[in-house]
Amino acid sequence: MLTPDLKQFIQNMPKAEVHIHLEGSIAPETVLELARRNNRLDTLPTDNVEGLRQWYTFAGFEHFITVYVAIMGTLRKPEDFALVAYEHGADMARQHIRYREVTFTPYLHLGWEDKGLTIQDLLHGLEEGRQRARNEFGVEMRWVFDVPRNASFPDESNPASYNPAPAELTLEAALAGRQYGVVGFGLGGYEVNFPPEPFAHVFGPAKRAGLISVPHAGETEGPASVWGALNELAADRIGHGVRAIEDPALLAELKRRDIPLEINPTSNICLHVYETYAEHPFRKLDEYGLTVTVNSDDPPLFNTTLTREYEVLAEHFGYDRAGLARIARNAFRVAGMEEGLKRRLLTEFDAWVTVNT
Ligand SMILES: [Zn+2]
């Protein structure tokens, strides 16, 4: 049950988040500001914040993609990326999020639409925002650069039409970004018809360069997608992975290898992976012994926050202080940050929990 007391506990608890998309977490106010700066107001359905907030409201996958593409189009210059990275840090401070591993999709700004930007433009913009946020708020951000599945298949109904160019460009950006906080390599987008196997050619080099492999799998597609991510992409964590619940052998394998899941309950409800929280397998996956984390995915688009997702765990899944703290600790533990920082953040987290539970 979500008592006022537990709500306060959740708000104050130092948190980490490992599954959130930069382009999917921009506040409506900022999207308007960017559209104004870049003469893109005509690409939005409204020029006021309230109207945009309503347009953001989730109304099916097609609408979600339309909104996402419009937001993406408002980011045009290095300073735009600096602004959204900085605001991401300000949001972390408001929610007591100490560390975030933020997914960013370079290909959508470089190849899918030619904005005249280079890899270095993106990296320098993101770095400026990240450093400003660290200096001002003391928060730590690292990046996951992910390959967009959908943009990699010119013929959307034919998995054999795979085009390696988006994956190769993403790899190039991720390798260049290691000195700017890129720690992970991902695979995002709609899974149906877009299996993970063709992307193996970039995950090998990414892992050899020291990046962790964190593909989305087992969200819009079932266990086969998770098996592919494990066996062909050597996944270190699975983005979502909730549909592993449909395959006992897969659950056993995830447990044996201790592969953490990045679970996003409200995102799953909005995208109709499950119709209600009661049907959602979060607690079952946890009780089975998998390492689970809770995350917000694209918070303003799903009308949620990371804080709200912890409230969902208390309200709908019956977690108490000790349970919430255990889940929260998992996120620090499984993060791709360097060991020294991880030790420091875990020490801080454990000290807080000792006093507050
Ligand atoms: Zn995601």
Side-chain angles (χ1 to χ4, degrees):
M1 216 177 75
L2 185 61
T3 58
D5 186 49
L6 196 51
K7 222 172 147 149
Q8 196 60 54
F9 174 84
I10 289 169
Q11 168 62 28
N12 295 348
M13 179 169 64
K15 292 176 275 296
E17 181 164 32
V18 294
H19 191 124
I20 179 164
H21 299 262
L22 185 68
E23 296 96 327
S25 26
I26 309 173
E29 291 83 350
T30 309
V31 170
L32 276 180
E33 167 64 22
L34 291 168
R36 237 175 247 129
R37 280 191 198 180
N38 293 320
N39 293 319
R40 303 279 296 181
L41 275 176
D42 60 331
T43 65
L44 302 176
T46 164
D47 62 359
N48 67 76
V49 170
E50 219 18 73
L52 205 61
R53 207 183 300 282
Q54 277 180 24
W55 185 61
Y56 262 36
T57 306
F58 191 82
F61 197 76
E62 294 278 305
H63 179 71
F64 173 71
I65 296 295
T66 308
V67 174
Y68 212 92
V69 166
I71 293 173
M72 201 78 74
T74 64
L75 293 160
R76 317 291 304 181
K77 302 196 191 84
E79 54 266 36
D80 300 341
F81 296 91
L83 175 69
V84 294
Y86 169 77
E87 290 198 345
H88 208 83
D91 172 65
M92 291 172 69
R94 283 191 294 272
Q95 297 190 64
H96 291 175
I97 301 171
R98 306 289 297 126
Y99 174 88
R100 242 180 196 168
E101 219 159 284
V102 188
T103 295
F104 176 71
T105 316
Y107 180 74
L108 297 180
H109 308 286
L110 296 170
W112 186 65
E113 184 191 349
D114 186 5
K115 300 177 176 178
L117 292 165
T118 64
I119 288 174
Q120 290 302 321
D121 288 336
L122 296 182
L123 291 173
H124 291 154
L126 293 174
E127 181 65 0
E128 191 195 315
R130 185 174 84 110
Q131 294 299 350
R132 232 181 105 203
R134 177 192 278 143
N135 293 338
E136 237 170 90
F137 308 114
V139 295
E140 291 287 348
M141 273 183 249
R142 297 292 181 273
W143 308 110
V144 169
F145 281 6
D146 81 333
V147 185
R149 283 181 146 96
N150 315 48
S152 305
F153 296 89
D155 176 358
E156 298 232 334
S157 58
N158 180 12
S161 71
Y162 180 67
N163 167 19
E168 282 163 0
L169 190 58
T170 307
L171 178 65
E172 190 189 338
L175 296 181
R178 279 175 306 169
Q179 53 174 317
Y180 299 111
V182 177
V183 297
F185 197 71
L187 177 62
Y190 196 59
E191 289 169 79
V192 178
N193 270 343
F194 308 126
E197 286 81 356
F199 298 92
H201 67 105
V202 279
F203 277 78
K207 284 205 66 157
R208 283 194 293 279
L211 301 175
I212 56 171
S213 162
V214 288
H216 286 56
E219 176 196 17
T220 43
E221 193 52 276
S225 179
V226 182
W227 280 116
L230 284 179
N231 293 335
E232 299 301 323
L233 309 185
D236 294 294
R237 297 192 310 247
I238 301 286
H240 296 281
V242 282
R243 293 189 54 193
I245 198 81
E246 297 164 26
D247 180 350
L250 177 56
L251 285 178
E253 185 66 5
L254 289 167
K255 187 171 172 176
R256 188 183 70 79
R257 294 202 212 173
D258 193 18
I259 303 289
L261 304 185
E262 308 157 6
I263 304 184
N264 308 270
T266 300
S267 160
N268 291 158
I269 303 294
C270 285
L271 288 171
H272 297 287
V273 179
Y274 301 99
E275 295 306 320
T276 61
Y277 290 116
E279 290 166 46
H280 194 285
F282 187 96
R283 184 139 200 161
K284 284 198 193 90
L285 293 162
D286 182 24
E287 282 171 357
Y288 182 82
L290 299 188
T291 300
V292 294
T293 61
V294 72
N295 306 274
S296 62
D297 213 3
D298 302 293
L301 302 183
F302 300 132
N303 194 24
T304 191
T305 61
L306 181 62
T307 304
R308 178 64 203 142
E309 294 304 297
Y310 278 96
E311 292 177 2
V312 163
L313 294 191
E315 207 174 316
H316 296 278
F317 298 93
Y319 282 90
D320 60 7
R321 283 186 182 212
L324 293 170
R326 181 172 54 78
I327 304 292
R329 194 175 198 282
N330 284 347
F332 288 99
R333 241 177 13 88
V334 307
M337 67 181 118
E338 55 279 19
E339 283 306 315
L341 176 61
K342 190 180 285 195
R343 267 196 304 278
R344 178 162 72 73
L345 292 179
L346 275 170
T347 303
E348 178 198 314
F349 176 84
D350 290 340
W352 187 90
V353 170
T354 306
V355 174
N356 289 280
T357 49

